[in-house]
Amino acid sequence: MAVSVMVFQKECSSSLQIRLLAGEKGLGREITAAGPSEVGLAITGEAFPLDAGRVAILGKNEIDYFLCQTPRRQAEIADKIFSYPSPCIITTSDLDVPDVFLDAANRRGMPFFVSSILIADLVEELQWELRRLLRESATVHGVLVDILGIGVLLAGQSGVGKSECALDLIVRGSRLVADDIILVEKAGSATLIGRGNKLTQHHMEVRGLGILNIRDLFGLIATRHAKKIELVIRIELWEKGKEYDRLGVEQECVEILGVRLPSLLIPVSPGRNVATIVEVAVRNHLLKQQGVNSAAELIERQIQKAGGIVES
């Protein structure tokens, strides 16, 4: 899969805080790899070309080396750097970019960006954004919580109590991944990774309390940046007369980005401790993963008893 530099700029200009300095005519170049590469030894102008398909990062060491060269040598190096098949180059705003780089970028048609994020943070965020762009992705509404090591997506209509349930779980030791808007990425054929929007990360809206910063309230241990989604629990208001599963033998599933995930439906009524039910549901899910199915075992014992088989 590939994504053009133009799409990359449009989708990531806010999160990466990037702006185009030069090389606009090369925005049609394609990015094919999520892992960025450093300009590194390519700045010497020798036989160390930039990788095709990978975004290149220009750092302080490279700039310092470049500025030590003669003007003629600088022109040669810049022309060679921007003639490589790399889709684009990104540097940071705390570095002084030589004008010869801008001239070469425009002449060779390689987009040259500057970011206001420091290099160390830029590389991490760039990797995540490129993985998102190069994979299938979707946005779902709900709350994603890490409960006992299992990524649980709490889904349901607005106002049903998802955030309140998640808050109760966090007080008990669970960890918030995202509230309201969850960015879901497909990693492999059967794996979904969920994370929050960068702007609202670690925040939660609880009616009556407003916006809460979970990290500030409960500490770093109460939040996670991302988590694999393994279970979907749908919460809905109790509807009188509706038939609900009372045995738990049949395993329902929901599909997100073509991946089927086990799902449970929990009806909510006054006086019901939803957080406790959700936590027990996760514990039961863990037991099933270990081959222990309480409902199936009980039914099997009933069948044996009905057939006249007496257990010792």
Side-chain angles (χ1 to χ4, degrees):
M1 188 173 179
V3 61
S4 70
V5 177
M6 181 180 295
V7 171
F8 165 72
Q9 180 188 21
K10 180 180 178 181
E11 294 288 330
C12 304
S13 60
S14 177
S15 60
L16 298 179
Q17 299 177 35
I18 57 174
R19 60 184 177 87
L20 185 66
L21 294 178
E24 183 177 2
K25 66 181 181 181
L27 290 176
R29 294 189 181 211
E30 291 189 337
I31 301 170
T32 59
S37 62
E38 296 181 357
V39 171
L41 292 175
I43 199 67
T44 63
E46 304 300 332
F48 301 101
L50 299 179
D51 295 335
R54 292 184 182 273
V55 175
I57 303 293
L58 181 66
K60 184 178 185 303
N61 291 337
E62 291 94 316
I63 293 289
D64 288 345
Y65 173 87
F66 183 84
L67 293 177
C68 291
Q69 308 304 305
T70 64
R72 180 178 178 180
R73 182 59 178 155
Q74 287 181 0
E76 293 175 351
I77 292 175
D79 186 70
K80 195 163 189 176
I81 289 292
F82 287 95
S83 67
Y84 290 135
S86 179
C88 63
I89 294 178
I90 302 179
T91 189
T92 56
S93 57
D94 60 333
L95 300 177
D96 292 327
V97 178
D99 290 338
V100 67
F101 276 172
L102 306 182
D103 294 339
N106 284 324
R107 187 171 60 257
R108 291 294 186 176
M110 179 190 289
F112 188 30
F113 295 96
V114 63
S115 170
S116 59
I117 302 176
L118 295 177
I119 285 287
D121 297 328
L122 174 63
V123 171
E124 181 180 355
E125 190 64 28
L126 177 61
Q127 287 178 324
W128 179 269
E129 291 293 350
L130 288 177
R131 285 198 297 267
R132 176 178 65 84
L133 289 175
L134 293 172
R135 291 176 180 167
E136 294 182 71
S137 62
T139 300
V140 298
H141 292 274
V143 186
L144 181 56
V145 189
D146 180 347
I147 307 173
L148 302 172
I150 298 293
V152 181
L153 172 61
L154 302 178
Q157 292 183 345
S158 177
V160 77
K162 301 183 297 295
S163 295
E164 289 81 354
C165 174
L167 183 60
D168 198 352
L169 289 164
I170 291 167
V171 172
R172 300 172 183 219
S174 296
R175 305 173 70 181
L176 174 69
V177 181
D179 178 51
D180 189 25
I181 299 177
I182 303 167
L183 306 177
V184 182
E185 298 176 4
K186 188 174 182 180
S189 60
T191 301
L192 297 177
I193 304 296
R195 63 171 294 193
N197 181 284
K198 187 174 178 64
L199 181 64
T200 60
Q201 195 174 34
H202 312 316
H203 290 77
M204 173 183 288
E205 179 189 355
V206 178
R207 284 174 172 78
L209 296 180
I211 304 296
L212 304 177
N213 188 316
I214 299 302
R215 174 169 287 188
D216 288 347
L217 283 170
F218 300 99
L220 183 65
I221 193 65
T223 62
R224 288 199 59 149
H225 182 67
K227 180 64 180 175
K228 176 183 176 182
I229 304 175
E230 299 182 61
L231 179 65
V232 177
I233 295 182
R234 295 168 290 135
I235 302 174
E236 70 172 32
L237 295 176
W238 183 286
E239 186 178 331
K240 187 176 180 180
K242 182 176 180 177
E243 289 292 329
Y244 293 101
D245 187 6
R246 302 184 64 180
L247 296 178
V249 176
E250 298 295 330
Q251 178 64 73
E252 295 185 15
C253 292
V254 297
E255 189 171 298
I256 302 175
L257 293 175
V259 177
R260 290 173 60 82
L261 297 171
S263 174
L264 296 171
L265 175 62
I266 296 179
V268 177
S269 60
R272 246 192 155 194
N273 193 323
V274 182
T276 296
I277 296 172
V278 168
E279 185 172 319
V280 171
V282 174
R283 291 181 182 275
N284 196 44
H285 175 74
L286 288 169
L287 281 178
K288 288 181 178 180
Q289 288 184 328
Q290 298 169 15
V292 180
N293 190 320
S294 302
E297 290 177 358
L298 177 58
I299 292 174
E300 180 63 26
R301 288 201 298 270
Q302 290 176 328
I303 292 175
Q304 290 178 356
K305 184 176 181 180
I309 300 175
V310 181
E311 296 181 350
S312 57

